[in-house]
Amino acid sequence: EAKALDNVTMQFRATTGATADLASNIGALSDRLRIYGINAEKAGQIQETLAAQFTLFTTLNKEQQLELGRTVGFLGDLGISFEQSAGILETATRTLNMSLGDTEQLLIDMRGMSRDLQIPIEQLTRDFAAAEGTVVALGDGGVDAFKKLSATAKGTGVEVSTLLGITKQFDTFEGAAESVQALNTLLQGPYLDSITMINTTDPSERI
């Protein structure tokens, strides 16, 4: 095992150009992940993925890096790929301005959402990536809007990407007017108006 760790550490440094201090995290991370059956090779993959795809990773202190690696490793065992976790971390910290703690909690909440909605975790994280533009545009309410949208998708049997496509029709006055007219004709009454649909930015509320 010690030889395997040495090989993983050397490969990590050769691939990433990382410092010896950063590379030494692999051994410590492997120790924390052993309870989940994750070996040094997987720990190295986690470290490499975070270093390459989460731009704030190298600015964190050692303990933060290890705890984040432990969370990503734990969630990887549940079905969220290391790359998907890194992508969510990047979006949440860079574009949603979430703290590291809140971002880590978001990753854990994804698992809870998956269980509550009975949606495979890998699908939920793919949906989050697909809805990234909408989540970012809604700012502080973006994550909650995504949760509601996921519940709507589950309830209607329609994919999140399809629902987003439907709601985008209401982003412009022309698109909203045409869609509202068609829907009111279908519903046989003036139930919807274009101004309200344009002013409603939460996609789940639009639906």
Side-chain angles (χ1 to χ4, degrees):
E1 186 176 345
K3 185 176 181 180
L5 176 58
D6 287 342
N7 290 337
V8 169
T9 301
M10 286 189 294
Q11 182 178 357
F12 173 72
R13 292 196 67 186
T15 302
T16 65
T19 63
D21 188 50
L22 184 60
S24 70
N25 282 1
I26 296 175
L29 180 58
S30 180
D31 290 339
R32 297 192 186 196
L33 292 173
R34 189 171 290 116
I35 190 174
Y36 307 125
I38 296 175
N39 58 22
E41 183 179 358
K42 286 289 186 183
Q45 290 174 8
I46 292 169
Q47 185 89 345
E48 185 171 340
T49 299
L50 288 173
Q53 299 183 29
F54 178 37
T55 53
L56 292 181
F57 184 70
T58 55
T59 69
L60 305 178
N61 63 46
K62 189 179 186 70
E63 182 60 26
Q64 289 174 321
Q65 291 173 344
L66 289 174
E67 275 303 294
L68 195 57
R70 185 190 64 80
T71 298
V72 170
F74 165 69
L75 293 173
D77 202 41
L78 297 177
I80 303 180
S81 74
F82 305 150
E83 291 76 14
Q84 287 171 325
S85 286
I88 292 171
L89 287 166
E90 183 71 9
T91 297
T93 55
R94 283 294 188 185
T95 56
L96 296 178
N97 294 317
M98 293 174 67
S99 69
L100 181 63
D102 287 343
T103 302
E104 194 170 356
Q105 187 59 50
L106 171 61
L107 283 173
I108 296 171
D109 288 347
M110 285 282 190
R111 175 57 182 167
M113 286 174 58
S114 169
R115 185 177 57 249
D116 293 342
L117 297 175
Q118 297 184 341
I119 298 173
I121 188 65
E122 59 268 25
Q123 177 185 329
L124 195 63
T125 50
R126 284 199 306 269
D127 288 343
F128 186 86
E132 179 180 328
T134 299
V135 172
V136 172
L138 292 174
D140 292 341
V143 173
D144 285 337
F146 172 72
K147 292 177 180 178
K148 290 189 289 184
L149 187 63
S150 296
T152 301
K154 177 67 176 181
T156 60
V158 179
E159 293 184 357
V160 166
S161 58
T162 302
L163 291 178
L164 286 172
I166 293 171
T167 63
K168 285 186 183 300
Q169 299 176 64
F170 303 105
D171 285 347
T172 64
F173 183 80
E174 182 180 359
E178 292 177 358
S179 298
V180 163
Q181 183 178 6
L183 287 169
N184 281 338
T185 299
L186 182 64
L187 296 171
Q188 298 181 341
Y191 297 106
L192 303 172
D193 71 87
S194 56
I195 300 299
T196 298
M197 296 304 288
I198 287 175
N199 290 334
T200 303
T201 55
D202 187 324
S204 63
E205 292 180 8
R206 280 180 171 178
I207 293 168

